[in-house]
Amino acid sequence: MYDYLIVGSGLFGAVFAHQAKLQGRKVKVIERRDHIGGNVYCENIEGINVHKYGAHIFHTNDKVIWDYVNQFVEFNRYTNTPMALSKGKLYNLPFNMNTFNQLWGVKTPAEAKEMIFRQSKEFSGKEPSNLEEQAISLVGRDVFETLIKEYTEKQWGRDCKDLPAFIIKRLPLRYTFDNNYFNDKYQGIPIGGYNKLIENLLDGIEVETGVDYLDDRDKWNSLAKKIVYTGPIDRFFNYSLGKLDYRSLRFEHQLLELDNYQGNAVVNYIDKKYEFTRIIEHKHFEFGKQEKTVITREYPKEFEEGDEYYYPVNDKKNNSLYIGYKSLRENCVNVIFGGRLAEYKYYDMHQVIASALNIAEKELINE
Ligand code: FDA
């Protein structure tokens, strides 16, 4: 009899399993896909770690989490410095002095601030009535039209004038020549890829892939005292209250017979004439020197049956549906729900690790 049967081998399941094993519990992990790792899984193509379910850059301000992951794998010094291609010209992101210099030729923070101040007054004294007005009042018309408008419209499939203002709460502007996308103290990519992190977390733990817990839950329940479920919450309850919505993405991977396609891991494509929103060149996450390269074009898309679940749609309707499911969880005393799918929440990797460590600590110490 297992103490815990863990459903899902993503970061939540792997961290919980590791902690339980450390405390001497008998655990088994089952995974529906034919590989471990959940969405951080990388496929090795020509020696390059290809982020199969979207680009993953680890970043955190929390030293405890940083030290935790570094026990399992060493991280490189990768710093995310995305570029944006708009109307044939390249710009640095996030919006900083390099971007302002590329846009207007300004050289000092005072000149840049003056430009933004002048342009952001367009709707002053008026409550922004849509995303376009909101964005212009935060960063001015030039930044909006060059770097935000068409990209946002591709992502949402709607005109910025038809999107609500609240989608953009703030747009950080940096008046320094600093292209580092994240403000966090720690950042990097595991040397050798994310699979190494997951494999080391699950070292010595029984794992079975290609098994769906919900296909035979009675059997699995009879084998363990408790279940840790990290799959979609609505599916666990047979969609009894209705289906939760997700936004999806389509990835098109391509192996190229050249060593360097775009010189950067991430390039955003702003213009609508490109249907994709960005191109990822995976080797640059690990400073790869391979002869070939793999790129991935990322296309936003409406969710359809059979698609991967990427982003929860945390609007009013879906949040209240989730609350309904959450109350059903109270009848399941032997099930622990965790991770992005069971909690219907967008979690970054460091956040999902923190959540798994917290839940594991409460569970394993109180038990
Ligand atoms: P995850 O989905 O990884 O794992 C759940 C596992 O359970 C899956 O493997 C699934 O197959 C399995 N499962 C489900 N139902 C099952 C069943 N019935 N039986 C058996 N197995 C079942 N974060 C960050 O910090 N930096 C970044 O750059 C990014 N980038 C990024 C890009 C994209 C496109 C997305 C969607 C997300 C990110 N993230 C991110 C977030 C990151 O992916 C996320 O925090 C973790 O992968 C969440 O781990 P979980 O274990 O919660 O879920």
Side-chain angles (χ1 to χ4, degrees), residues 93-218:
L93 294 177
F95 310 136
N96 71 75
M97 280 304 297
N98 288 310
T99 330
F100 307 141
N101 175 264
Q102 289 146 357
L103 264 171
W104 304 306
V106 294
K107 294 182 185 64
T108 66
E111 289 171 317
K113 275 186 188 164
E114 166 64 19
M115 282 300 279
I116 302 233
F117 178 72
R118 241 189 306 135
Q119 293 195 7
S120 61
K121 281 197 312 199
E122 192 173 326
F123 297 104
S124 66
K126 195 176 154 223
E127 183 69 21
S129 63
N130 56 44
L131 188 145
E132 174 160 329
E133 292 182 10
Q134 167 78 338
I136 292 174
S137 58
L138 291 169
V139 295
R141 189 167 277 279
D142 284 351
V143 175
F144 170 72
E145 286 189 346
T146 314
L147 296 165
I148 299 172
K149 183 176 164 22
E150 295 193 21
Y151 188 88
T152 310
E153 290 177 349
K154 283 197 284 192
Q155 270 191 320
W156 291 89
R158 280 157 71 189
D159 196 283
C160 284
K161 287 197 178 74
D162 299 328
L163 286 165
F166 74 80
I167 293 180
I168 293 186
K169 289 198 179 70
R170 41 191 288 278
L171 285 168
L173 297 171
R174 237 182 239 164
Y175 293 101
T176 51
F177 291 90
D178 177 6
N179 298 325
N180 181 353
Y181 193 76
F182 297 114
N183 290 316
D184 288 344
K185 209 188 264 178
Y186 311 104
Q187 182 174 180
I189 302 283
I191 297 174
Y194 286 94
N195 296 5
K196 212 167 152 189
L197 168 64
I198 300 286
E199 280 159 15
N200 288 343
L201 276 163
L202 293 177
D203 188 32
I205 292 172
E206 201 181 320
V207 179
E208 203 176 324
T209 54
V211 212
D212 191 325
Y213 162 75
L214 295 175
D215 283 349
D216 202 351
R217 72 168 96 188
D218 291 342

Side-chain angles (χ1 to χ4, degrees), residues 261-316:
Y261 176 73
Q262 61 185 16
N264 205 38
V266 184
V267 177
N268 288 4
Y269 280 70
I270 309 294
D271 306 344
K272 267 197 186 147
K273 68 176 179 186
Y274 304 103
E275 283 177 37
F276 48 89
T277 46
R278 31 182 219 169
I279 295 184
I280 305 298
E281 188 170 10
H282 301 266
K283 72 190 308 182
H284 297 307
F285 285 130
E286 298 185 54
F287 311 102
K289 299 274 181 285
Q290 298 86 350
E291 280 174 17
K292 298 182 186 175
T293 193
V294 179
I295 60 165
T296 300
R297 294 186 180 83
E298 206 170 293
Y299 296 83
K301 77 182 284 292
E302 291 285 319
F303 182 82
E304 287 169 60
E305 206 49 55
D307 282 352
E308 291 292 341
Y309 296 144
Y310 285 114
Y311 299 105
V313 180
N314 289 111
D315 60 8
K316 244 184 175 167

Side-chain angles (χ1 to χ4, degrees), residues 7-8 10-12 30-33 38-40 53 55-57 211-214 230-232 235 249 310-311 339-341 346-349 352:
V7 180
L11 273 173
F12 190 97
I30 58 170
E31 168 57 55
R32 188 152 74 118
R33 292 173 175 158
N39 276 8
V40 305
Y53 303 96
H56 280 75
I57 300 142
V211 212
D212 191 325
Y213 162 75
L214 295 175
T230 73
R235 190 162 175 256
L249 291 170
Y310 285 114
Y311 299 105
R340 66 180 191 109
L341 298 166
Y346 182 83
Y347 269 130
D348 267 332
M349 290 181 280
V352 92

Side-chain angles (χ1 to χ4, degrees), residues 212-262:
D212 191 325
Y213 162 75
L214 295 175
D215 283 349
D216 202 351
R217 72 168 96 188
D218 291 342
K219 176 190 118 184
W220 294 113
N221 291 351
S222 73
L223 293 178
K225 292 183 199 154
K226 278 196 170 179
I227 304 293
V228 176
Y229 180 81
T230 73
I233 187 158
D234 51 356
R235 190 162 175 256
F236 183 90
F237 291 108
N238 297 320
Y239 308 106
S240 56
L241 305 177
K243 279 197 168 184
L244 288 163
D245 294 325
Y246 285 85
R247 273 199 303 127
S248 201
L249 291 170
R250 181 167 68 81
F251 299 111
E252 204 179 82
H253 307 290
Q254 194 180 4
L255 174 66
L256 300 175
E257 303 285 331
L258 52 105
D259 70 335
N260 191 358
Y261 176 73
Q262 61 185 16

Side-chain angles (χ1 to χ4, degrees), residues 318-336:
N318 285 288
N319 284 343
S320 75
L321 189 54
Y322 171 66
I323 288 169
Y325 279 120
K326 212 172 153 194
S327 63
L328 293 182
R329 285 174 18 177
E330 279 150 31
N331 305 324
C332 307
V333 283
N334 289 329
V335 185
I336 296 163

